[in-house]
Amino acid sequence: MDAHLGDSEDKAHFDYFVFRRSKQLSCVPDVIIVGAGPSGLATAACLREKGVNCVVLERSNDIASLWKMRTYDRLKLHLPKQFCELPFMKFPRNFPTYPSKEQFIEYLEEYAKQFQIRPVFNQNVVSAEFCWGIGLWRVITTAGGDYLSRWLVVATGESAEAVVPEFEGVEEFDGEMVHTSVYKSGKAYEGKKVLVVGCGNSGMEVCLDLCHHNSMPSLVVRDTVHILPREMLGKSTFGLSMWMLKWLPMHLVDRILLVASHLILGDTGRFGLPRPEIGPLQLKTLSGKTPVLDVGTLDRIRKGDIKVFPGIKRIGRKTVEFVDGRGENFDAIILATGYKSNVPSWLKENEMFSEKNGLPKMGFRNGWKGENGLYAVGFTGRGILGSSINAKNIATDIQKALSLQSSCKNISFMI
């Protein structure tokens, strides 16, 4: 929509968004959101409910690109659907307790449609910087987009880029090595010996998927890990934990979870999966490390269908040497080594976000709001539920700022 900034006093206010490509000038008020994943969509919907305009910039050609292009086929939500809903819209009643990847994508597409969220696609942000002279955020993309806005919401999340660790001798490996971001199904590895590096939820599920496709998987467990049953007494372990935390201190809830897990799963340390010294909830709070919710992988390990190895010492042409002195040949290696934030590569700011890990320096309660109209959503380490809480906080905060600004203008006009 063409803008003529001097046409009316209403358009002369300070909080505006400018998009300049070539010699064309367009103006849309209020907020820029970088990222059209669940966090960005949730924030856009919350802003729309408050009557606040926004433009969503997305580097790919579709919403929820991580879910559509970088997840494996058998993926389901690890938590019950009621803990994964975005603001103002529930999952369809006919969806199962743990929706599939396809069902969650369907939900997100319907969400964007219902709240009329139309991101600007193929806008890979290379720079976002606060311009002190004009009091606006300037956002530049590789597609030639040049944007200015009073408020900037960083919604690129904790999983923007794949983490690929370095291993001695990796260049000699004669087989296939891929990250789980490009892994789709174990069908391609039928009859092959596959080493999965990383024992988080993704690594454990990939191992199970490989078993279902008659592969011979092994799992590298480099550190201690909490494995919990996905359900206890027919109820979600996560849901039970949240309920108990309303009445009991965290350390006591952790003790209950560990006792129940031992009764249901047994001693995981016997299978090369030692537990950390502190409880799963305390560990999550202190380090952000999420416990593994078992969906059947542990039983396969117990039966010997999945071998467990410690850290990797060296990778050869076909053989992988481990730190305990063992060595074994593999046809392929799958890196379930997680993801990281890419915010430091494009956000020219070092007060709110850590340059080391690209996450907000403050904790969950205060990590969503920075200075000069900068916000963050999707960096809580608390999944979609945490993103929804942050999205509501951001929309409320911006609406208050707009209301205050409008009141100040009215007072100034009266004077």
Side-chain angles (χ1 to χ4, degrees):
M1 141 177 87
D2 290 337
H4 305 282
L5 296 179
D7 282 357
S8 70
E9 186 172 341
D10 287 339
K11 290 183 180 179
H13 60 71
F14 191 56
D15 54 319
Y16 62 91
F17 158 97
V18 176
F19 170 42
R20 185 179 71 238
R21 178 176 289 173
S22 300
K23 296 182 179 180
Q24 294 183 351
L25 181 67
S26 299
C27 180
V28 181
D30 303 338
V31 186
I32 296 174
I33 300 173
V34 181
S39 298
L41 296 177
T43 307
C46 289
L47 288 169
R48 180 171 287 277
E49 287 295 294
K50 298 286 187 182
V52 180
N53 295 298
C54 68
V55 169
V56 182
L57 304 180
E58 168 56 41
R59 66 179 177 178
S60 72
N61 61 358
D62 207 346
I63 66 168
S65 60
L66 173 65
W67 283 87
K68 291 183 176 181
M69 294 180 279
R70 293 192 286 159
T71 52
Y72 41 92
D73 295 343
R74 67 164 282 124
L75 179 64
K76 294 183 179 181
L77 294 182
H78 294 127
L79 303 181
K81 59 185 179 182
Q82 64 266 29
F83 297 109
C84 300
E85 293 172 343
L86 298 185
F88 316 119
M89 183 172 148
K90 294 184 178 296
F91 279 95
R93 287 187 177 181
N94 63 327
F95 275 25
T97 301
Y98 301 95
S100 68
K101 162 187 169 178
E102 290 77 15
Q103 289 171 323
F104 185 57
I105 290 172
E106 179 186 337
Y107 169 79
L108 293 177
E109 289 177 338
E110 182 60 32
Y111 190 84
K113 181 179 179 181
Q114 178 170 317
F115 292 99
Q116 300 179 27
I117 303 168
R118 301 181 182 90
V120 184
F121 295 117
N122 301 308
Q123 297 293 318
N124 185 29
V125 174
V126 292
S127 175
E129 185 173 9
F130 186 71
C131 301
W132 292 92
I134 56 175
L136 301 174
W137 285 92
R138 184 181 185 186
V139 179
I140 299 174
T141 75
T142 54
D146 196 345
Y147 303 78
L148 291 175
S149 176
R150 176 65 185 87
W151 290 283
L152 174 65
V153 179
V154 179
T156 49
E158 304 156 314
S159 304
E161 305 290 345
V163 173
V164 180
E166 295 182 0
F167 299 105
E168 182 183 348
V170 67
E171 67 281 353
E172 301 174 17
F173 187 60
D174 211 17
E176 178 185 6
M177 178 180 287
V178 299
H179 190 271
T180 48
S181 58
V182 298
Y183 174 90
K184 295 302 178 185
S185 167
K187 185 176 181 180
Y189 302 94
E190 185 175 356
K192 294 183 178 181
K193 295 184 66 176
V194 183
L195 181 65
V196 179
V197 182
C199 61
N201 281 297
S202 294
M204 298 287 270
E205 282 202 43
V206 166
C207 277
L208 186 61
D209 187 52
L210 289 167
C211 286
H212 290 166
H213 287 90
N214 299 315
S215 303
M216 294 166 279
S218 295
L219 179 67
V220 171
V221 181
R222 297 172 292 175
D223 201 357
T224 55
V225 58
H226 276 303
I227 300 178
L228 306 176
R230 186 169 68 171
E231 294 185 343
M232 296 180 179
L233 303 175
K235 301 292 183 180
S236 156
T237 298
F238 179 82
L240 286 173
S241 300
M242 294 302 99
W243 180 79
M244 287 190 288
L245 284 173
K246 294 180 180 180
W247 314 101
L248 302 173
M250 184 178 293
H251 73 274
L252 187 53
V253 176
D254 270 340
R255 185 178 293 274
I256 294 171
L257 290 176
L258 290 176
V259 170
S261 296
H262 186 81
L263 291 173
I264 297 171
L265 302 176
D267 179 11
T268 60
R270 291 175 49 210
F271 309 108
L273 300 159
R275 292 190 182 276
E277 293 185 1
I278 61 176
L281 299 182
Q282 287 180 299
L283 185 64
K284 175 67 174 175
T285 302
L286 294 173
S287 69
K289 188 173 181 180
T290 303
V292 172
L293 296 176
D294 181 57
V295 292
T297 309
L298 191 61
D299 186 55
R300 290 291 192 138
I301 293 174
R302 188 183 291 111
K303 292 177 179 177
D305 296 335
I306 301 171
K307 293 183 180 180
V308 176
F309 291 96
I312 294 173
K313 181 180 180 181
R314 191 182 190 283
I315 296 177
R317 192 168 69 89
K318 292 200 177 283
T319 303
V320 176
E321 298 177 21
F322 300 97
V323 294
D324 64 353
R326 286 184 290 172
E328 191 153 335
N329 291 347
F330 292 98
D331 300 305
I333 298 175
I334 298 174
L335 302 174
T337 45
Y339 297 85
K340 64 180 179 180
S341 163
N342 68 357
V343 173
S345 69
W346 56 269
L347 182 63
K348 313 304 178 185
E349 184 272 350
N350 56 16
E351 293 297 324
M352 183 178 185
F353 284 86
S354 166
E355 293 185 15
K356 182 179 180 181
N357 60 20
L359 304 178
K361 296 177 182 179
M362 302 294 288
F364 172 70
R365 292 184 181 276
N366 302 307
W368 58 274
K369 184 177 180 180
E371 299 293 330
N372 304 312
L374 179 64
Y375 297 92
V377 59
F379 298 88
T380 64
R382 303 192 180 194
I384 297 170
L385 181 62
S387 294
S388 296
I389 293 171
N390 281 352
K392 292 177 182 178
N393 288 338
I394 291 168
T396 299
D397 199 62
I398 292 176
Q399 183 197 40
K400 286 181 180 178
L402 280 168
S403 298
L404 179 61
Q405 182 175 288
S406 178
S407 298
C408 289
K409 285 181 181 178
N410 292 336
I411 293 173
S412 176
F413 179 77
M414 291 172 64
I415 293 175

